[in-house]
Amino acid sequence: MALETTLSIIKPDAVAKKVSGRILSRLEEQFNVVAMKKLHLTREQAQAFYAVHKERPFYPALIDFMTSGPVVVLALEGEDAIKRYRELMGATDSTKAAAGTIRKDFGTDMQKNAVHGSDSVENGIRETRFFFAP
Ligand code: ADP
Ligand code: MG
């Protein structure tokens, strides 16, 4: 195991439902929150952040969703943080996420799934740098 950094985004659906504080509590229990800010993503920021998905059919709707309201962005640090945070989030489809996960408890469906999490050590570093100075 190694000390890793992963990027979390509390998405517009969760912020609008006023559960960002409850999600933050779960994150704080398991990780060191090294940076955090609330912002409203521009279309340019959302398009750049999700550029890896730009050929996917869900991409235009994802950009609309991610720019529909404010988000909370957090850099989380901890041992094995990438995998442990993916487990805490749950499956992409909130309706199929395991009991007790953030997506099961606060998400709605495949798109409105409450939180983002990095999927690899490299992307954890890249995505954290996208939002935060070193
Ligand atoms: P994850 O967020 O679990 O890493 P992906 O990286 O595959 O999932 O997708 C990024 C985001 O795009 C998802 O969290 C979700 O909001 C949205 N998304 C993914 N697949 C779909 C889909 N089939 N329909 C609608 N939205 C989707
Ligand atoms: Mg992903």
Side-chain angles (χ1 to χ4, degrees), residues 39-90:
L39 71 158
H40 195 140
L41 289 173
T42 64
R43 290 193 75 79
E44 290 68 29
Q45 279 178 307
Q47 285 165 349
F49 184 77
Y50 280 115
V52 64
H53 292 311
K54 68 172 180 287
E55 307 303 333
R56 308 286 289 275
F58 61 80
Y59 179 76
L62 176 62
I63 301 307
D64 287 346
F65 166 53
M66 290 301 294
T67 57
S68 66
V71 298
V72 179
V73 185
L74 311 97
L76 307 176
E77 183 185 73
E79 288 291 323
D80 210 15
I82 300 289
K83 178 162 161 281
R84 286 176 47 234
Y85 176 49
R86 296 285 316 184
E87 287 169 2
L88 182 65
M89 280 202 304

